[in-house]
Amino acid sequence: MDNIRNFCIIAHIDHGKSTLADRILELTGVLHTTANAQVLDSMALERERGITIKAKSVRMPYQSRSGQSYILNLIDTPGHVDFNYEVSRSLKACEGALLLVDAAQGVEAQTIANAYLAIDAGLEIIPVINKIDLPNAMIDECRLQLEDMLGLPAKDALLISAKDGTGVPNLLEAIVSRLPSPRGGVDEPLRCLIFDSYYDSYRGVIAHIRLFSGSLRRGDRIMIKSTSKVCEVDEVGYFLPQITPSDKLMAGEVGYVAATIRKAGDIHVGDCIISPDRPETAAIPGFRRSQPMVFCGIYPINSSDYSKLAAALEKFQLNDSSIVYEKESSAALGHGYRLGFLGMLHMEITLERLKREYGQELISTMPSVIYKVVTTRGETLMIDNPSRFPTAAYIDHIEEPIIRARIIVPNAFVGPCMELSESRRGTLVSMEHLDTRRALLTYDFPLAETVTGYYDKLKSVSRGYASMDYDLAGYRSSDLVKVDVLVKENQVDALSFITVRDSAIPKGRALIHKLRKLIPRHLFEIPLQAAIGGKVIARENIVPLRKDVLSKCYGGDITRKRKLLEKQKEGKKRMKMVGSVEVPQEAFMLLLKMEE
Amino acid sequence: MRGLYVHVPFCARKCSYCDFYSLPARLDLLEAYVQAVVHESHRYGGLSFQTLYLGGGTPSLLGPGHLRELVGGIGKSVDLSELIESTIEVNPESATGALLEAAREAGINRVSIGVQSLSDYELQGVGRIHTAAQAVEAIILASRLGFKSVSADLIIGLPGQTWSALHRTLGTLVGAGIEHVSLYCLSLEKGTPLEKSPPLDLPSDDTQAQLFEQARSFLLGHGFIHYEISNFALKGYECLHNLNYWRGGEYVGLGPAAASHLYGRRFRNRADLDAYIDRPGYLTEDVEELDVRDKASEEAMLRLRLLVEGLDAGELAAKFGRDNIEPLADRLERMAHDGLLVFDGLRYRLAPSRVLTSNPIFAEVL
C-alpha cells in the first residue's frame, strides 16, 4: 500500500488537464501514442466542448528514479461548475491533487473553487504551473496568485508544459515523493467509496470505487450503505485504461466493481459499499443524492414516438444517475417528460446527447428552477414547472433559489460584468482585488437568472476572460408572476414563464413579437397574446397566408414539383400542432434565446 | 393519350426571372441541335403521339427553316399522324409572318405567345426584349393566319405591376380574340438576377394574390373557364398537351432538360446542350419509378390541379387498385371533411378559395 498514490488533477477549464493526463499516461507507458489524444475524454461530445463530464480513473505502473515501483491511480474530475458535488466525491477518493494553473491565464474561478474543495477534503496539493512554453506565460504572477489567493507555498510549484512534456518527469517524481500513500487495513471491514458509475451492456452497472479498508473479490456479498441493498460481486478489476478484471481489490486501491446491479438508480455517487456482515461500518461523510436544480420538459415531435423517448431516457439514466425524470403532459405538447439536471450546462449536454445518441427529435421547453410557492393556506409547494403554478389568488408569496457566484474578471471588464449581473437581479456581496490585474466579484443571484444564458453573456462581455463558479445559497422571497401565452385563444402551457413583475410586460411583448415572426402564416388569422391571470399584457396578430402555390409548368417536370411539395411536407413534420396552429419547435426555446 | 414535348433551349437574352434551361448567344448551334433532336426521336420510333408541344427557351428562334426541318425530321421517326393539337411557343419579337406560316405548313395549330405583360415598363423591368405593341401584333398575326387557338402567357407580380395595368393588358388580349391565357405568378428562383437583387417595387405575395384574384374574376367575366391552377380557356380551347400532364398521362421530352413520363417511369435529359448534341438523349437524370401507392398519390395531386375536371376517386381506384389507394382515399376524405377539398359524391375538387394556397393541400395528398 505504501507504493500506491491516488491523485487527481484539478484545474479551470482549458488549463490543460486532459493534455497533462495524456503526458502522464505516455510516460508511464499506458498510452503509446498521441494519436488518440485525451483518453480520459472519451465521449466525442465532451471533446467537442473541451470538458470532461464524468469522472474516470486509470491505473498506471511507475518506476521512480530511485528504482522503486509504484502504482499511480489518476482519478479524473469533471471540470464544470454544475458538477461540484461530483468533483468533491472524486477528491474523496484521492490523497493528493495536482492543482494545474495556465501560466498565461493565472488562477481562475474554478481553480479557486476546486482548490477549496481539495483543501476541505484534506488533500495534499501540488501546485503546477502549466503552459510555460507560451510566450505570454506569467510564471511569477501565477506563483504570487497561488500564494495570495490560495495560501499555497509558491516555491513548491512545479513548472511544466504538458504540451511538449517539459517538467512532466519531475512531476511524476513529485507525485511519489510529496503525496502520501493511502492508509487503512486490508484486515479491517470493507469500506469503499463509489465515485462514479456507468452502464455496461454486458456487466450491468459498473461502479468506480476506492477501497479505504478491507478487500473485495468475485463472489463476495456486498451491501450498499444508504439503501442496505445486498448483492453479489460478479467482477472486480482496474482500468488500464481499458477495463481489466483482476482477482481482488485491496484497501488503498482504485478500480471497479460489477455486481448484480441492473439499475443505475440503485447506486449513487458518494455512496459507500460495505460488507453485509458489518452493517455498522461508517458511511463516507458528505454523501447526498445529487440534486437537480434546473428542469425542462422534453417532448417528441410526433406523439407516436413517446415510447421511443421513454426507452431512450431509461437507457440514458443508466449512464448518468444525476438526471431525474418523470412523466409530464402538456395540453400543447402532449405526453413527454420533465427532466431535472444539475445545472444549465448539464442540461445542454444531456439534451444534445439524447438527440444525438438516440436519434430523437425533441422539443425542449424553457428551463425552470424549483420555486417555493407558499399558499394563502400556509402550504409550501415546490414547483419546477411554471404551468403548475397555482392561480395568483392562492399564492401568498413565492421564493426562488439563490446562488452565490464568484466571478474573477480582469479589472477592465469589472464594469460590464457588474452591469450584466445587476441586470440579472444580482446583488453584490463583495469585491476584492486579487492583484493588480483582476478582481473577484461575489454576487448573489436568483438561479433562474443564470439558466437563461448568463454564463455565455458573462463570457462575451468580458471577451472570454471572466470565469465563474457558484454554490447554492438558499431561497429568497421575490415578487414573481406567471405569464401565460395564448396562440389563437389556446393557452400554450409550455410557453408560460415566471418572471419578476417589473419585467413581465416587456418580456411578454418581446416574446409575442418573436412568436409572430417565428410562426409561419396560416390560412387563417392567428392572434397571439401574453397574459397575467386574465389580463392581456401583449397582443399581436399573424395575418393569413394568401399565396402558396406552384404555378409554373416546368415543361412537365412533375418530379421537381413533387419534390418541392415533399420538402414542404417534411418541414411541416418538424412543427408541433397547437390546436390548429403549426408551431415550430424553436418557439419553445424562444425565451431562452431572447435572454441570450 | 401521349404527348411529345420538344425543348428548344435558345434565347436571344435571358430574362431576369428565368431559371429554365435556356442559353442566350448559342444560335450557332441551332443546326446541330435540330439534327440531334431528330436523332433522339429515333429512340421513340413507332410511338404515336396525339399532342406536340415545342417549348423553351424560345422556339420561335428556330426560324422557318429549322422549324420545318425539326418537325419534318421528327415526323419521319415517330408517328404524328394522330396529332390533335400541336403547339409552338413564340416570343413576340421573333414571331414573324414567315415563322408562323412555316408553323402552319408544318401542321402546328396552336400558338402560345410569351406576352407576359402589355406594359412596356413591366416588360423592361424583367429584361424582356419586346414591346407591348410587338406582342399585340403577334397575336393579330397568329389569328389571321388561321391557327385554331392562340394563347398568351402572362406574369402576375411583375415589378411595378398594378391592377389598372394588368386590367388593361387583359382587356387588350380579350379584345384581340385570344382563346387561352396562362397566368403564372412571378417567383424568385434561386440564382436568378431577380432573386439576387429584387427591385423595390416587386409586389408582395399578398399583392400577387390580390392581382391574381382580380385577373381571375375578369377572365371568368369574359367567358373563360379556370380549368387548371394557372390556366384559363374558352370552352373547348383547353391545352390538351398540358391537360395530359395533369392527368398523369405519358409523354416524351426531346432536347436537353426535357422531361419524360413513359411506362410509369419519369426521367429527364441532362440540361447540357453540348453533351446533348454529342450524344442525343443518352444522358438522363432523375430517373424515378414510384411504387404504386406513391404513383397514385402523385396522380391525385396532379389531377386536383384540374379545377373543373377534378379527381374521380373511382377512376383512381380502378387504375391503381382499391387496396393501394386506401390510405390516400382516407386522406382525401378527411380533407374534404375539413373543407380543403370539395367532394360531390364522385369527384374531389380543390375548393375555389384554396387555389392560391394549394401547396399545403397537395403536400398533404402526397
Side-chain angles (χ1 to χ4, degrees), chain B residues 301-331:
Chain B
M301 177 273 281
L302 292 171
R303 283 184 178 272
L304 283 170
R305 294 186 67 95
L306 299 172
L307 305 175
V308 177
E309 184 173 306
L311 165 67
D312 184 328
E315 217 171 82
L316 200 70
K319 182 167 176 182
F320 293 97
R322 196 156 294 278
D323 291 350
N324 289 320
I325 70 152
E326 205 172 306
L328 170 65
D330 288 349
R331 289 201 293 280

Side-chain angles (χ1 to χ4, degrees), chain A residues 521 523 547-548 551 556 569, chain B residues 206 208 230 251 354 356 366:
Chain A
R521 289 166 69 183
L523 295 164
K547 184 192 153 229
D548 183 9
S551 68
K569 196 175 165 187
Chain B
D206 287 358
Q208 271 197 19
S230 311
Y251 48 93
R354 290 301 310 261
L356 286 182
L366 286 178

Side-chain angles (χ1 to χ4, degrees), chain B residues 7 27 29 33 36 51 55 121 130 135 153 164 173 200 205 208 212 218 271 279 284 299 304 315-316 322 327 343 358:
Chain B
H7 191 71
L27 291 176
L29 292 175
Y33 160 79
T51 64
Y121 173 81
H130 58 87
D153 283 358
S164 71
L173 291 177
L200 289 172
D205 276 3
Q208 271 197 19
F212 188 96
F218 179 91
R279 305 191 75 191
T284 50
E299 185 164 327
L304 283 170
E315 217 171 82
L316 200 70
R322 196 156 294 278
F343 185 56
S358 50

